[in-house]
Amino acid sequence: MVVRLDRQGRFRFATAQSPFGETLFRKHGLRTDSYETNLVLIDGVAFTRLDSFVAVMAELGWPWRAMKALLLLPRPLRDWLYDRVAKNRYALFGRKDSCEVPSPELRERFLD
């Protein structure tokens, strides 16, 4: 979704299980034996869980920036909401039978 919405190509990506991704996870105090969240770095600030989604949406501009309203929810509620969506992501968003092969343009946006 981010790739599709990020028309200016601002975001770069790394897989969490790569050596680079594992280093980032460790640096920010996240587990490297179980990847239960994502990590987003914007201007050197680390975001995880629902906060990472909100940070990315805010960077994409309007109307996505309106997602910042989610930050009004108390952190325990945001974490609970993130966990519910994560556990039900296939039912909510569907599941593909195979992984998408990234285009050469998209591959250039991967850091590892």
Side-chain angles (χ1 to χ4, degrees):
M1 176 180 153
V2 174
V3 170
R4 192 175 70 246
L5 296 174
D6 182 20
R7 293 188 179 122
Q8 295 178 7
R10 291 172 288 192
F11 290 100
R12 302 290 179 259
F13 305 92
T15 57
Q17 296 89 347
S18 70
F20 181 70
E22 284 187 10
T23 299
L24 286 174
F25 267 53
R26 264 190 237 99
K27 179 180 177 180
H28 294 284
L30 298 172
R31 294 176 56 172
T32 58
D33 61 339
S34 174
Y35 299 95
E36 296 182 9
T37 189
N38 57 11
L39 173 65
V40 172
L41 300 171
I42 297 177
D43 296 330
V45 178
F47 300 91
T48 60
R49 305 180 85 154
L50 189 63
D51 292 354
S52 66
F53 171 76
V54 170
V56 169
M57 294 296 106
E59 289 293 313
L60 293 175
W62 291 102
W64 307 107
R65 184 170 289 148
M67 293 293 179
K68 286 183 93 170
L70 291 170
L71 296 177
L72 296 172
L73 299 173
R75 179 165 304 282
L77 184 55
R78 290 196 315 259
D79 290 347
W80 179 87
L81 183 60
Y82 176 87
D83 290 342
R84 296 298 76 71
V85 171
K87 286 181 181 178
N88 296 291
R89 66 187 179 274
Y90 295 127
L92 294 168
F93 306 110
R95 184 178 197 147
K96 295 183 179 184
D97 292 331
S98 61
C99 292
E100 221 175 289
V101 176
S103 67
E105 295 82 22
L106 179 56
R107 273 186 257 142
E108 288 178 9
R109 294 175 67 184
F110 274 80
L111 298 173
D112 49 340

